[in-house]
Amino acid sequence: MPVDTSSASSSKNRGDSRRKPARWQNAEVLNIIQEAPDAITLRLRLEEAAAFLPGQYYNVRLLVPGRSGPVQRAYSVGSSPVPDTSIIDLGVREVPGGLVSPRLVGDLAAGDWVEVRGPVGRFTWTTDDGGPVLLVGAGSGVVPLMSMIRYAVAAHLDVPMRLVCSSSNFDYAFYHRDLADLAERFSWLDVVHTFTRDPFDPRASHHRRIDQIMIAEVVVDQFPGRTYICGPPTMVEDVQKWLTELGVDPATVLVEKYD
Ligand SMILES: Cc1cc2nc3c(=O)[nH]c(=O)nc-3n(C[C@H](O)[C@H](O)[C@H](O)COP(=O)(O)OP(=O)(O)OC[C@H]3O[C@@H](n4cnc5c(N)ncnc54)[C@H](O)[C@@H]3O)c2cc1C
């Protein structure tokens, strides 16, 4: 079946300031998929579909007891814009004590409605950006990287992609089942897990935080044409610095920091 890639065929509109800002709209919760003990995929059907690029995010706003107005937070899209942009999967990890994420993870059910606005962001990859692509994510930072991988699958691309994914252990790794399945099916995809709190699990190549040696190994093995780093600000800044030291052109590196 031919796939309509028009909604994701160009990164030319990355940051196009002439576009009208999206307005808040209602989205129906279609499904909640448990990705890890503390993380879900929130599958939403938008009232108004909007073209988005792999890597972008939506803002979600909720009424929170004790707050006079709604509270909003950003959540990346983990699904592919191809073939359908009217249904989006947001990946949400619960932050203990947080105002919004515990409500999204624990309180919603299919048939509920939430308010969203988007898509937003310049952290995007499409065919036009080329490869090989190096994706580096920690924790929920893997969500927008998964959108890029799923887009490559849906659009039948075979650009080499390597994901370095840091999680506390296998069960807490976002999308661990899907990633294992996709890496098995597609030779252009390589997934390198590192587990920070499980020193023995053989499903990980490494058992420590992402460090300079790990990044040097993947860059030497396959020099990236484009790199995307997403997660906690310190990890993102460290990896950015190590890549520059390894000779990667900073202009080819895009980052998204989850503050
Ligand atoms: C571009 C972007 C994309 C993102 N995408 C994702 C994504 O795909 N998935 C995802 O899970 N997250 C994502 N995030 C992070 C997300 O937006 C939220 O920041 C996260 O979910 C926490 O929000 P919260 O309301 O639950 O917690 P917050 O209410 O913001 O609290 C965060 C932490 O601060 C503590 N805290 C709050 N107030 C105080 C206080 N007064 N004193 C002391 N401590 C306090 C809380 O206990 C909690 O531990 C993204 C962020 C950005 C910027």
Side-chain angles (χ1 to χ4, degrees):
M1 192 180 72
V3 175
D4 175 13
T5 55
S6 57
S7 62
S9 62
S10 169
S11 58
K12 300 266 182 330
N13 64 347
R14 193 182 274 156
D16 184 346
S17 55
R18 290 163 305 176
R19 278 189 307 158
K20 267 198 335 201
R23 61 175 188 83
W24 288 100
Q25 63 163 305
N26 291 316
E28 183 186 5
V29 178
L30 289 183
N31 198 2
I32 291 179
I33 301 158
Q34 200 75 37
E35 300 288 356
D38 62 348
I40 58 156
T41 283
L42 191 57
R43 180 159 295 163
L44 301 175
R45 187 166 48 76
L46 302 171
E47 280 190 335
E48 237 176 75
F52 73 91
L53 296 172
Q56 289 191 300
Y57 65 91
Y58 270 77
N59 287 304
V60 178
R61 73 177 180 189
L62 295 180
L63 287 172
V64 172
R67 291 288 172 125
S68 51
V71 181
Q72 78 174 60
R73 297 286 185 266
Y75 294 98
S76 302
V77 182
S79 48
S80 164
V82 174
D84 182 5
T85 58
S86 68
I87 295 175
I88 55 167
D89 284 357
L90 302 183
V92 187
R93 167 152 277 144
E94 178 169 353
V95 175
L99 282 177
V100 172
S101 62
R103 290 181 163 78
L104 296 178
V105 172
D107 294 356
L108 290 177
D112 288 344
W113 291 79
V114 291
E115 274 192 295
V116 300
R117 185 167 69 181
V120 196
R122 299 176 180 205
F123 183 76
T124 61
W125 178 82
T126 66
T127 328
D128 298 352
D129 296 310
V133 184
L134 173 59
L135 309 170
V136 183
S140 50
V142 76
V143 175
L145 311 179
M146 191 63 172
S147 176
M148 296 172 190
I149 293 170
R150 286 175 166 156
Y151 161 69
V153 170
H156 307 291
L157 308 178
D158 59 0
V159 179
M161 280 190 166
R162 173 166 291 164
L163 170 66
V164 177
C165 176
S166 172
S167 323
S168 49
N169 62 35
F170 187 75
D171 290 338
Y172 280 80
F174 236 109
Y175 309 126
H176 58 82
R177 287 175 295 265
D178 283 6
L179 283 170
D181 174 55
L182 292 174
E184 183 78 27
R185 286 167 50 207
F186 299 102
S187 58
W188 49 262
L189 176 64
D190 184 33
V191 179
V192 178
H193 281 292
T194 183
F195 297 154
T196 54
R197 297 202 190 147
D198 184 337
F200 303 114
D201 192 325
R203 287 170 291 192
S205 319
H206 308 284
H207 302 86
R208 58 186 199 266
R209 286 179 162 214
I210 293 171
D211 60 20
Q212 194 163 9
I213 296 170
M214 215 181 279
I215 295 300
E217 277 173 14
V218 293
V219 166
V220 166
D221 191 48
Q222 181 175 271
F223 199 83
R226 304 287 302 182
T227 303
Y228 295 83
I229 317 165
C230 185
T234 48
M235 183 283 285
V236 169
E237 286 155 19
D238 284 346
V239 174
Q240 228 177 341
K241 188 181 77 191
W242 299 330
L243 287 168
T244 306
E245 288 168 8
L246 289 160
V248 175
D249 177 359
T252 65
V253 178
L254 269 70
V255 305
E256 188 86 282
K257 298 178 191 178
Y258 285 5
D259 305 290

